[in-house]
Amino acid sequence: MQMIDQSFNDLSLREQFFLLNLNRSSYYYQAIEPNDIDQNIANKINELWLKYPFYGYRKITAVLRREGFLVNHKKVFRLMGEMNLSAIFPRANKNKWIKANQSQYPYLLKDLAIEKTNQVWATDITYIRIHSGFVYFLAIIDLYSRFILSAYLSTSLEADFCVEMLKISLEKYQNPEIFNTDQGSQFTSFKWCDLLKEKNIKISHDGKGRCFDKSEAIATRSNKIKFCEYNIVNERLWRTVKYEEVYLKSYNSVNEARMQLMDFVEFYNHQRPHQSLKYKTPAEVYFAKKIAN
C-alpha cells in the first residue's frame, strides 16, 4: 500500500484507490495478533481432540462451555481449521473425487508382519503450541522399534523441511524396505517420492479408510508385529510427546520449543522404557542392545 499517499492533496484517498483499482478495506485493515485467551482455547481444543478425535467443532464447543469457556462454535471452527483438526468419521463415498485424487502408490502394510528394524519407516506431523501461536512437529520413526530416527520443529507445513529430514535419516541409518505416510501434500510431492525411489525404497500411502482404522496392533509369540496400522504407533507417539512434554511446558519461542522437544526425543529414544517393547528403550531394540533381566 506504499502507492497510497495520505498527504497528497490533489487526489482524495477514494480517488487514489479508484485509479489503482484497490479495495479501501484492505488499506485500513490491521492484522490481529493471537491473544492469550484464544491460545488457551486452542490448547484446550487440541487436548480434547487428542482424547476424543471423533468430536467435531459443535461437540467440542459444548464441552468447552461446560468447562467455563466463553466461546461460540464459530471461534472453535476457526481455531480447529488453523490447527488442521477435524472429527474422524467415515465421509461420504465420493468415488469420482477419490479416483481423481488418490495416490498412485498403494498401501503396503495391510496384513504385513513387521519382524525387524528398518523394514518399515513412517512419518507424520502434529501441531505443537507455543506462546505466540502454532508450530508443526515432524518425526520419522522405525515401526518395529519405535525409534525416532529424526525429528524437527517447523513454522510451516511446506515439503522442503520434510524432505531435508528424510535425507538426514537416510544418510544416518540403513535404508528401510518400505516408507509409509498419509497422502499429505508433503509426502506426495515429487521431491519426497523421487528421493525414496532413488534409494529403491517402496512407497506406501494410506488409502481410503486407513485413518479410521483404530484396531490394535497384535504381537505374536515370536514378537512379530502383525496387522500393524502405523497410525496407532504415530498416535501413541504424539500422545506421549504431548502428555509427557508439551502439556507440562510453556514454550516462549520456537527455539525454546525446538530445544526442549529435541531433549525429549533423546530421552524417549534412550531412557524411556516402552511397554510394547517389554520395557526396553527404542534405542535398545533398534540397535539390538542386550540388557540384564
Side-chain angles (χ1 to χ4, degrees):
M1 290 298 178
Q2 295 180 355
M3 295 180 290
I4 302 299
D5 186 359
Q6 288 187 340
S7 63
F8 191 60
N9 296 324
D10 293 339
L11 289 173
S12 67
L13 286 177
R14 181 191 295 271
E15 291 170 325
Q16 291 180 58
F17 277 106
F18 177 77
L19 291 173
L20 293 170
N21 195 26
L22 295 174
N23 192 321
R24 282 187 297 164
S25 62
S26 61
Y27 178 72
Y28 295 107
Y29 173 77
Q30 293 183 351
I32 301 174
E33 295 293 330
N35 55 47
D36 291 340
I37 296 176
D38 278 7
Q39 187 63 53
N40 290 336
I41 294 172
N43 294 336
K44 185 62 179 180
I45 289 171
N46 188 62
E47 183 179 341
L48 287 171
W49 188 86
L50 276 174
K51 290 182 178 178
Y52 314 110
F54 43 85
Y55 275 12
Y57 70 94
R58 291 185 180 88
K59 195 162 289 185
I60 287 180
T61 301
V63 174
L64 289 174
R65 286 176 174 173
R66 292 181 66 175
E67 296 189 8
F69 287 89
L70 298 176
V71 65
N72 60 29
H73 69 278
K74 293 180 180 179
K75 175 172 284 190
V76 173
F77 181 82
R78 174 177 62 81
L79 291 173
M80 290 183 69
E82 291 175 359
M83 294 185 286
N84 197 28
L85 300 180
S86 62
I88 293 177
F89 63 89
R91 264 65 174 181
N93 184 15
K94 301 178 180 178
N95 290 324
K96 292 183 179 179
W97 186 92
I98 292 169
K99 189 173 183 179
N101 292 276
Q102 66 185 2
S103 169
Q104 61 177 306
Y105 302 101
Y107 181 70
L108 302 178
L109 304 193
K110 183 174 177 59
D111 297 341
L112 176 69
I114 302 179
E115 305 171 337
K116 58 185 178 180
T117 58
N118 298 320
Q119 181 181 356
V120 181
W121 289 3
T123 190
D124 203 357
I125 301 173
T126 191
Y127 143 87
I128 297 290
R129 69 180 188 186
I130 62 173
H131 182 71
S132 57
F134 314 129
V135 288
Y136 306 95
F137 187 53
L138 173 139
I140 296 177
I141 186 171
D142 173 72
L143 287 190
Y144 180 78
S145 64
R146 273 63 166 180
F147 183 74
I148 299 175
L149 302 148
S150 59
Y152 188 72
L153 196 70
S154 174
T155 56
S156 74
L157 285 172
E158 295 180 359
D160 288 346
F161 90 92
C162 300
V163 174
E164 189 60 33
M165 296 312 298
L166 176 59
K167 288 180 181 178
I168 292 172
S169 298
L170 294 175
E171 290 171 359
K172 192 172 182 180
Y173 303 101
Q174 178 184 331
N175 291 354
E177 298 173 15
I178 300 172
F179 203 117
N180 193 85
T181 67
D182 61 24
Q183 294 190 40
S185 60
Q186 301 87 354
F187 310 126
T188 56
S189 67
F190 288 116
K191 289 183 179 179
W192 177 275
C193 294
D194 288 347
L195 180 56
L196 292 175
K197 288 188 286 188
E198 179 184 318
K199 301 292 184 180
N200 294 318
I201 299 169
K202 296 178 182 177
I203 300 173
S204 172
H205 282 162
D206 285 354
K208 177 188 172 186
R210 292 260 68 83
C211 63
F212 309 125
D213 192 339
K214 300 297 179 183
S215 58
E216 293 289 335
I218 302 172
T220 65
R221 292 183 180 180
S222 58
N223 201 30
K224 298 175 183 178
I225 302 172
K226 195 169 181 62
F227 310 131
C228 175
E229 295 296 344
Y230 100 93
N231 300 37
I232 296 169
V233 178
N234 274 349
E235 286 170 5
R236 286 179 176 173
L237 171 61
W238 296 146
R239 183 180 178 87
T240 298
V241 169
K242 293 196 174 185
Y243 277 84
E244 298 183 15
E245 166 63 23
V246 176
Y247 291 158
L248 303 179
K249 307 287 181 66
S250 178
Y251 307 124
N252 293 317
S253 67
V254 176
N255 286 336
E256 181 182 341
R258 183 175 290 125
M259 290 176 59
Q260 295 196 34
L261 282 165
M262 293 306 103
D263 287 343
F264 183 81
V265 168
E266 186 72 12
F267 163 76
Y268 176 91
N269 276 340
H270 297 279
Q271 298 182 47
R272 185 185 183 278
H274 203 297
Q275 184 177 1
S276 67
L277 302 177
K278 298 183 178 179
Y279 294 100
K280 296 179 182 178
T281 66
E284 287 168 340
V285 175
Y286 184 80
F287 296 106
K289 293 180 180 178
K290 294 183 179 180
I291 60 174
N293 293 327

